[in-house]
Amino acid sequence: GGCGRGELCPHSDVDLTFLYPKAAAGKALELLKETMTREILYPLWDLGLKVGHSSRTVSEAIEESRNDIRTKNAQLDSRHLCGDSNVTKRYLHKFARFLRKDDPSGYIRQIMQDRSGQRREKGNTVFLQAPDLKNGVGGLRDYQNILWMARVKFDEPDAPLDALIQRDHLTLSEAKTFNESYSFLLRVRNELHFRSKRPSDVLHLEKQPEVALGLGYEQEDLLERVEAFMGDYYTRARSILQTAEALEGRLAAGIASRTARITLSSVLQAYRSPPPEIIDEFELSNNQLHSSDPKIFDRDPERLLRLFRHAQHRGATLSPELRSLIRNKLSLINSDLIHSPSANVSFRSILQQVGDVHPTLADMHDLGVLGRFVPEFDRLTCKVQLELYHRYTADVHVLRCIAELDKVFQAPDERSRHYRDILRKTETPALLYLILFLHDLGKDQGPKGHCERGVDIAHSLMQRLAVPDEMRERVTFVVRHHLEMVRYFNKFDLGDPEVIEAFAAFTKGHQRLRYLCVHTYCDANGTSPDLWNNHKDDLHRQLFDSTLRVLGGRPARRDPADLRAAHTHLQIPGLSREQIDAHLQALPDRYFSHAGEEEIALHLSMTARYLGQASPDTISLRHPPAIEWRDDLRRSLTIVHLVIKDRSALFARFAGSFAVAGMNILGSRAFTSSEGITIDVFFVESEKGGPADDPRTREAFHQIVNEILTQNADPLPLIRERARKLETKTPFSLKDRIGATIAPDVNVYRDVAVGRTIVEVRAADRLGLLHLIAQNIADCGLDIAFARIATEQNIATDVFHVRPNVTEETYSPTRYLDLRERLSQALAEGRFQMEV
């Protein structure tokens, strides 16, 4: 391993083999092994090294290599440290002979198969936000695999890279770049070990600024430093991947030709096979495009675009030789070709192959063609996105979004069918491919303001691509507003008619709405594989369906009197008609826009049960609330209904109770009747996700909420005690992190479009965070009418709709400015920091 190669990283394992001659045996051998352990292993362990060791004879070492490919790979990097060198020479001689005889073709096939599986596990892309330096795509292992395969195939134990150059598998310049890229990754891994003080292969986001500093990136701005460093990392890793893939293809091709058996049937089959099909002077055979003409692109540079359209149309791949030729001819893609109408027709045709666009664009990007032909896209290449949710670089994010649209058109699952049906009712479903390709081009200067910059870029690019005028307006609308649908369903109450009417007025048409809806779905899933969930999908669908109804002429809001009258037929055991009517009249108008008949019946029954303890006028704050639990398996959450007499800081008390009981709040709604009775609806999940259906958890909540509400207990000590019990180690402890933190972000504003006062908080998630926020809102004399709670990657992004707890008060900017200052100070003092 690394010890054998002489490139051991600071905290990596030391792998040693004690190799004994065949003559060593019996009691003398056992005594010798004891001595080796005492005199060599014990001191190494005492030094704090992690030592992997084995004791073998030469024949045993060979046999282990035969049984396990990982052992064979490790032994390929063996070197003599000390002892009898003749034993080592004898072992290396026998090992080399074993490699020649032990099916080298099978070894190369297996190592390529194993590596392919590892790449899939690591996301099949170099451009991850937190890449694995060793086993990730374009990592150290890709380089090492090539050397192992070359050693085995060419019987070159000492200079496998030279063997590749001599056999024209690699040019001198390619070998130089290959080595330099590997050296860069090794230095990054060394620095990561030094900074982490433990073995680590994943370059986590929080470690990138200090690793960059250790490697000489000295920009004072952390974001600029990380962007420069990671840009260089991605460039080097991509170079390793491209070179490794090209060499794998050449090594595998050589094996196939050398090991193929010539039989009478194979000769007859070759004789009967049709000659290669000629397409645009390229040869298509065995589903692969070839060309033996090194000048094929010089005669007609537009073939650099048409070739990918041919491959896409025929479902063909490009031969390794053709891929190498393309890389060497990128200079032919000049301004004339970029503005060529026929070349742009080829590119637009690629974007219109419904269900099969991503593989072609990804291939063009890997070979450098896409960035050369679309310079606006090239500016996103290796562009680091230092944002909470983005897992990929900007260029790969765009391609991942397009891959998600391919799935929408092709995948058989219910969710894909749903969005496919939405898109197929547009005039040009394939237009969304162009929109997705354009939507983030404005990020070439960073995320701030990228939507408006993207519109300007889209205008010029659509002119170059000759996009019809009637399509351009829809494209620019979605590019400019592609974040708006997420903003609405994350920040607003979708049961509020005013919200739906405002969104319908914003979209102004069902065609725009359909493109925006499917774009939002693809954009979110192309950001990170685990960003979208059932809860978000449900909110997204609810916003789309409600808005579509309004655009279809059905009003979002109805007369409150009609809504009340629609429920007068309800029959609830134990309640008379007069009692039902009285309860309905006491409820606020907006309640009926949110609740269905089943929910209204439940709430009336709960209210009657709660008031059965006393009359509305005399019921005490010490009376326990009425509580009902409903599991929603479709959305994978639990809905908790609570009825209780209204009081100050009620949301904060409930939030504290849920936290101590071990449940996460996803959202809430609150309604207060004219009788002073509050109906609170909370959407919660268990700590591990999914419905909170554990009876012990629910019982704990009942006990805690009664203690907090009826005995006026302070929830903070309970929260702190639970936090202490739940403390677990993060990938890096606080003292190991760089100490650079982003302060919590608090924003309080009035949304004029829907007439709501909104509090937004973004902070590192901690147990009790929601209670802290709600308590400060209550201390400012405000009630929470609606809340949407979201936590991604341990960062909470919470939205609250607030109103004065005195009904006649109006919006006061000074009061809300005070709330923002209070919240910012409370979160800072509570060390709710988001660590880089």
Side-chain angles (χ1 to χ4, degrees):
C3 185
R5 290 189 297 271
E7 54 185 38
L8 191 70
C9 290
H11 292 285
S12 293
D13 298 354
V14 177
D15 295 318
L16 301 177
T17 294
F18 295 99
L19 194 65
Y20 297 98
K22 188 177 182 181
K27 189 173 183 179
L29 177 59
E30 294 305 317
L31 289 173
L32 183 56
K33 287 183 177 180
E34 288 179 13
T35 304
M36 293 295 101
T37 300
R38 182 176 65 251
E39 299 298 332
I40 295 179
L41 293 180
Y42 283 176
L44 292 176
W45 288 331
D46 290 342
L47 286 168
L49 296 176
K50 186 178 179 183
V51 183
H53 65 283
S54 60
S55 298
R56 294 168 183 155
T57 63
V58 171
S59 58
E60 287 172 344
I62 300 296
E63 189 60 29
E64 284 293 324
S65 179
R66 178 179 284 109
N67 296 334
D68 183 12
I69 191 172
R70 289 175 298 180
T71 302
K72 181 184 284 189
N73 293 339
Q75 291 180 353
L76 280 166
D77 290 322
S78 299
R79 68 185 170 107
H80 178 76
L81 289 180
C82 61
D84 188 345
S85 61
N86 289 325
V87 178
T88 303
K89 288 176 183 176
R90 190 157 54 249
Y91 156 70
L92 292 175
H93 174 73
K94 287 190 175 183
F95 184 63
R97 189 170 60 186
F98 157 73
L99 291 175
R100 287 193 294 271
K101 293 182 177 180
D102 189 52
D103 188 16
S105 305
Y107 167 79
I108 291 177
R109 281 193 295 271
Q110 184 178 352
I111 203 170
M112 289 177 62
Q113 183 179 353
D114 291 348
R115 190 66 191 126
S116 178
Q118 285 181 329
R119 287 173 182 158
R120 282 195 300 273
E121 288 178 11
K122 300 298 181 181
N124 257 337
T125 180
V126 165
F127 304 97
L128 293 178
Q129 192 181 58
D132 186 324
L133 301 171
K134 181 180 178 182
N135 293 308
V137 182
L140 299 168
R141 193 63 84 207
D142 275 321
Y143 177 94
Q144 292 156 6
N145 277 354
I146 292 299
L147 267 57
W148 293 335
M149 287 190 286
R151 280 179 178 145
V152 170
K153 181 174 181 179
F154 302 131
D155 193 17
E156 290 281 355
D158 299 322
L161 213 56
D162 291 343
L164 290 167
I165 296 170
Q166 291 166 8
R167 288 165 175 79
D168 294 329
H169 287 336
L170 202 62
T171 66
L172 283 170
S173 63
E174 287 173 336
K176 182 173 182 289
T177 302
F178 200 36
N179 273 328
E180 288 175 349
S181 299
Y182 180 69
S183 176
F184 180 84
L185 261 65
L186 264 184
R187 286 186 285 125
V188 173
R189 189 171 183 235
N190 279 339
E191 192 65 29
L192 179 61
H193 279 212
F194 282 129
R195 301 283 174 165
S196 302
K197 300 178 177 64
R198 60 171 60 86
S200 179
D201 293 321
V202 178
L203 188 56
H204 288 287
L205 190 63
E206 62 265 29
K207 281 295 171 188
Q208 290 171 13
E210 57 175 330
V211 170
L213 185 64
L215 292 173
Y217 296 84
E218 298 180 346
Q219 293 88 337
E220 290 186 12
D221 185 275
L222 287 181
L223 302 185
E224 290 180 4
R225 185 195 309 167
V226 171
E227 185 172 303
F229 163 54
M230 292 304 292
D232 286 347
Y233 166 80
Y234 292 129
T235 301
R236 298 321 206 299
R238 185 170 68 165
S239 175
I240 288 177
L241 176 64
Q242 290 176 343
T243 305
E245 287 181 330
L247 289 172
E248 287 169 0
R250 290 163 191 166
L251 291 169
I255 288 169
S257 61
R258 195 173 74 241
T259 59
R261 294 177 58 197
I262 299 176
T263 63
L264 178 60
S265 60
S266 64
V267 171
L268 289 174
Q269 185 178 358
Y271 179 77
R272 292 169 182 168
S273 297
E277 184 180 354
I278 304 301
I279 303 172
D280 201 4
E281 296 189 24
F282 298 103
E283 295 181 4
L284 176 63
S285 62
N286 297 322
N287 213 37
Q288 193 172 70
L289 286 164
H290 307 259
S291 178
S292 56
D293 182 0
K295 300 291 185 182
I296 189 168
F297 296 118
D298 298 81
R299 292 195 301 276
D300 185 356
E302 287 188 15
R303 282 200 179 104
L304 283 164
L305 272 297
R306 294 202 303 269
L307 170 63
F308 291 96
R309 178 57 184 148
H310 299 323
Q312 180 191 44
H313 183 63
R314 299 300 183 99
T317 60
L318 309 182
S319 70
E321 294 76 20
L322 193 53
R323 296 175 72 86
S324 181
L325 182 61
I326 290 169
R327 287 195 183 98
N328 292 327
K329 296 294 182 179
L330 292 178
S331 60
L332 295 174
I333 304 178
N334 54 23
S335 179
D336 292 338
L337 182 62
I338 290 170
H339 291 91
S340 163
S342 56
N344 279 284
V345 167
S346 297
F347 184 66
R348 278 201 62 203
S349 298
I350 290 170
L351 290 176
Q352 292 169 344
Q353 185 76 26
V354 167
D356 193 31
V357 174
H358 171 261
T360 304
L361 287 186
D363 219 17
M364 294 173 70
H365 186 41
D366 287 342
L367 294 172
V369 173
L370 186 58
R372 292 281 298 199
F373 186 69
V374 187
E376 298 90 340
F377 181 84
D378 192 46
R379 292 195 286 269
L380 300 186
T381 300
C382 299
K383 185 78 174 177
V384 180
Q385 301 193 87
L386 290 176
E387 296 177 304
L388 173 62
Y389 303 117
H390 278 279
R391 186 178 173 186
Y392 310 106
T393 53
D395 53 333
V396 173
H397 164 65
V398 170
L399 297 179
R400 289 268 169 172
C401 293
I402 289 172
E404 289 299 324
L405 185 54
D406 279 346
K407 289 182 188 176
V408 165
F409 279 116
Q410 289 187 329
D413 59 281
E414 187 278 332
R415 187 172 287 177
S416 297
R417 284 198 301 271
H418 170 74
Y419 289 105
R420 183 159 63 239
D421 290 342
I422 291 174
L423 196 55
R424 280 180 173 169
K425 292 180 182 178
T426 62
E427 292 175 359
T428 314
L431 183 64
L432 190 55
Y433 279 113
L434 176 63
I435 297 172
L436 285 168
F437 183 76
L438 297 173
H439 83 282
D440 265 357
L441 294 187
K443 282 188 175 176
D444 59 332
Q445 299 176 37
K448 189 174 183 180
H450 77 277
C451 296
E452 288 300 325
R453 288 197 303 274
V455 170
D456 294 337
I457 294 171
H459 277 305
S460 62
L461 195 51
M462 285 192 292
Q463 185 172 357
R464 196 160 80 223
L465 293 171
V467 176
D469 291 343
E470 62 271 16
M471 294 183 181
R472 296 188 189 186
E473 186 276 331
R474 289 172 187 163
V475 173
T476 54
F477 173 82
V478 179
V479 170
R480 177 179 279 115
H481 302 294
H482 68 265
L483 302 176
E484 199 67 12
M485 204 160 185
V486 172
R487 187 179 80 87
Y488 260 82
F489 74 66
N490 274 335
K491 295 185 179 180
F492 296 113
D493 185 354
L494 301 184
D496 188 335
E498 293 182 26
V499 169
I500 303 304
E501 288 179 349
F503 192 68
F506 161 74
T507 55
K508 295 181 181 176
H510 72 92
Q511 291 276 327
R512 285 173 161 190
L513 176 64
R514 291 179 185 278
Y515 285 124
L516 183 60
C517 175
V518 184
H519 184 287
T520 301
Y521 171 76
C522 295
D523 191 15
N525 283 278
T527 298
S528 176
D530 52 2
L531 183 60
W532 200 257
N533 55 35
N534 290 337
H535 181 60
K536 290 181 181 178
D537 195 65
D538 188 72
L539 293 173
H540 189 215
R541 293 186 190 206
Q542 184 181 349
L543 177 58
F544 172 78
D545 292 340
S546 301
T547 306
L548 195 63
R549 283 196 294 271
V550 172
L551 292 172
R554 296 169 60 184
R557 55 181 129 187
R558 295 167 57 190
D559 186 88
D562 293 339
L563 289 171
R564 280 190 177 83
H567 301 293
T568 54
H569 67 281
L570 286 175
Q571 293 183 355
I572 300 171
L575 289 181
S576 66
R577 173 58 48 202
E578 291 75 17
Q579 287 175 313
I580 292 174
D581 291 342
H583 287 324
L584 288 173
Q585 290 300 319
L587 290 166
D589 291 345
R590 69 184 188 90
Y591 170 82
F592 295 96
S593 299
H594 294 78
E597 187 169 294
E598 183 180 346
E599 196 172 28
I600 291 172
L602 173 66
H603 291 162
L604 293 184
S605 177
M606 291 175 66
T607 302
R609 188 167 80 241
Y610 177 71
L611 292 176
Q613 303 172 87
S615 68
D617 297 329
T618 61
I619 195 163
S620 167
L621 296 179
R622 294 187 176 277
H623 283 94
I627 305 174
E628 290 288 342
W629 303 78
R630 296 288 187 272
D631 292 330
D632 189 335
L633 298 179
R634 183 175 60 88
R635 290 188 286 175
S636 191
L637 52 79
T638 294
I639 305 172
V640 188
H641 303 268
L642 300 110
V643 173
I644 195 168
K645 187 175 181 64
D646 193 24
R647 67 199 69 191
S648 174
L650 189 55
F651 185 98
R653 295 166 190 251
F654 282 140
S657 301
F658 280 116
V660 176
M663 285 175 275
N664 301 319
I665 298 175
L666 300 173
S668 82
R669 293 196 300 263
F671 310 95
T672 303
S673 72
S674 59
E675 298 172 327
I677 303 300
T678 292
I679 300 172
D680 282 275
V681 181
F682 285 88
F683 302 88
V684 303
E685 63 178 4
S686 67
E687 280 184 324
K688 296 181 179 179
D693 52 6
D694 186 342
R696 291 171 298 181
T697 302
R698 294 183 178 185
E699 182 59 31
F701 175 77
H702 281 261
Q703 293 177 359
I704 295 161
V705 80
N706 286 339
E707 184 179 342
I708 290 174
L709 290 174
T710 63
Q711 301 176 32
N712 205 28
D714 185 357
L716 275 179
L718 297 172
I719 292 172
R720 290 186 183 126
E721 176 62 19
R722 179 165 180 81
R724 186 186 65 78
K725 292 179 180 178
L726 291 177
E727 275 187 0
T728 55
K729 289 184 178 180
T730 55
F732 299 98
S733 63
L734 278 173
K735 65 180 181 181
D736 284 338
R737 296 176 190 249
I738 62 172
T741 58
I742 302 172
D745 184 39
V746 180
N747 195 12
V748 183
Y749 61 93
R750 182 78 173 170
D751 193 297
V752 180
V754 294
R756 301 290 181 270
T757 303
I758 298 174
V759 178
E760 291 182 32
V761 179
R762 191 164 177 259
D765 192 33
R766 296 287 192 278
L767 191 70
L769 173 64
L770 195 53
H771 169 78
L772 175 72
I773 297 170
Q775 188 62 56
N776 276 273
I777 291 174
D779 291 345
C780 286
L782 299 166
D783 286 337
I784 296 172
F786 169 79
R788 178 89 72 220
I789 312 302
T791 303
E792 303 284 352
Q793 300 181 23
N794 294 319
I795 303 298
T797 306
D798 300 340
V799 178
F800 307 89
H801 292 196
V802 299
R803 61 191 176 202
N805 54 22
V806 179
T807 311
E808 59 270 15
E809 280 194 31
T810 57
Y811 178 78
S812 167
T814 306
R815 184 175 192 175
Y816 293 105
L817 182 63
D818 177 56
L819 171 61
R820 189 182 70 179
E821 295 303 316
R822 273 174 173 260
L823 272 175
S824 298
Q825 184 176 356
L827 290 169
E829 289 175 352
R831 299 176 64 82
F832 288 83
Q833 302 289 325
M834 293 177 287
E835 293 173 5
V836 177

